[in-house]
Amino acid sequence: MNTQPNTFRRIVTGHDADGKAIIISDAAPVHTQLVGGPGGPTFYEVWHTVETPALIHAQPDEVDEDRLILPPPANGTRIRVIDFPPEGDAIRNLTGADAAAKFKAMGDEKASTSHEGAPHPLMHKTETIDYGIVLEGEITLVLDRAETLIKAGDIVIQTGTNHAWANRSDKVCRIAFVLIDGRFID
């Protein structure tokens, strides 16, 4: 069974000419992309900033991006929601080259760390701090030397570690991610 979670609203606030708080936009996310074809995850790009501290505009406007980009902008942030369908053989049988191509389609081919003998074919690493909040379902966080089942309500703080997500259940898992640009110190 592969039931798709309900869509969600993205509410963006701002200020009117008098400095009073208003709603700028109230709709489903505009940028949605299925990655890897049927059986792949669906990315919902919610918002991103291009600097930290983030500049707060009276009338926030979405920065244009013409494609899905895995990491946040340099010195910026990104929030996205991903629906991970149950994992099938199409994912489990990916080669290193296949995995690199999938990450290239997400704008970050160098993130792929897949190799023969890796714990999961979609292992990857980014120079970011990521907060992952499981909204619905469950998923396994796969690391180099550990894995753990994450369930609805759990929060993962991903600190630039090599990892993959494996949905071994029979339902879609929805996770909200906040990605913050970072730098490795070693």
Side-chain angles (χ1 to χ4, degrees), residues 119-174:
H120 191 277
L122 291 176
M123 295 296 286
H124 63 286
K125 184 176 184 175
T126 57
E127 242 181 308
T128 60
I129 301 291
D130 304 338
Y131 305 137
I133 303 117
V134 178
L135 302 173
E136 297 178 40
E138 64 183 42
I139 199 160
T140 300
L141 169 62
V142 180
L143 302 172
D144 291 326
R145 294 188 176 151
E147 64 178 52
T148 189
L149 183 64
I150 313 294
K151 296 182 178 186
D154 292 343
I155 300 171
V156 175
I157 294 87
Q158 179 68 27
T159 59
T161 55
N162 195 35
H163 69 285
W165 302 100
N167 185 348
R168 298 173 181 156
S169 77
D170 63 350
K171 295 180 181 161
V172 171
C173 177
R174 175 173 279 176

Side-chain angles (χ1 to χ4, degrees), residues 9-185:
R9 294 165 40 212
R10 180 190 74 162
I11 297 113
V12 180
T13 64
H15 298 87
D16 64 16
D18 298 321
K20 299 296 182 186
I22 60 171
I23 293 173
I24 302 293
S25 170
D26 183 345
V30 177
H31 302 291
T32 301
Q33 184 171 335
L34 175 64
V35 176
T42 301
F43 284 62
Y44 303 88
E45 297 300 284
V46 179
W47 195 261
H48 67 273
T49 62
V50 295
E51 69 273 322
T52 302
L55 300 179
I56 301 171
H57 301 275
Q59 295 281 319
D61 192 20
E62 219 167 322
V63 178
D64 286 335
E65 288 182 337
D66 60 357
R67 62 187 173 86
L68 175 67
I69 301 173
L70 186 63
N75 301 314
T77 65
R78 182 178 308 283
I79 181 168
R80 71 167 42 109
V81 173
I82 303 177
D83 289 340
F84 291 94
E87 187 174 289
D89 289 337
I91 297 294
R92 288 186 208 105
N93 296 329
L94 289 173
T95 66
D98 295 335
K102 292 206 180 293
F103 282 100
K104 184 176 184 178
M106 291 185 271
D108 198 1
E109 183 178 16
K110 66 181 172 117
S112 179
T113 59
S114 184
H115 59 84
E116 190 173 329
H120 191 277
L122 291 176
M123 295 296 286
H124 63 286
K125 184 176 184 175
T126 57
E127 242 181 308
T128 60
I129 301 291
D130 304 338
Y131 305 137
I133 303 117
V134 178
L135 302 173
E136 297 178 40
E138 64 183 42
I139 199 160
T140 300
L141 169 62
V142 180
L143 302 172
D144 291 326
R145 294 188 176 151
E147 64 178 52
T148 189
L149 183 64
I150 313 294
K151 296 182 178 186
D154 292 343
I155 300 171
V156 175
I157 294 87
Q158 179 68 27
T159 59
T161 55
N162 195 35
H163 69 285
W165 302 100
N167 185 348
R168 298 173 181 156
S169 77
D170 63 350
K171 295 180 181 161
V172 171
C173 177
R174 175 173 279 176
I175 306 177
F177 288 98
V178 176
L179 296 80
I180 304 165
D181 186 39
R183 298 289 172 265
F184 293 120
I185 58 172

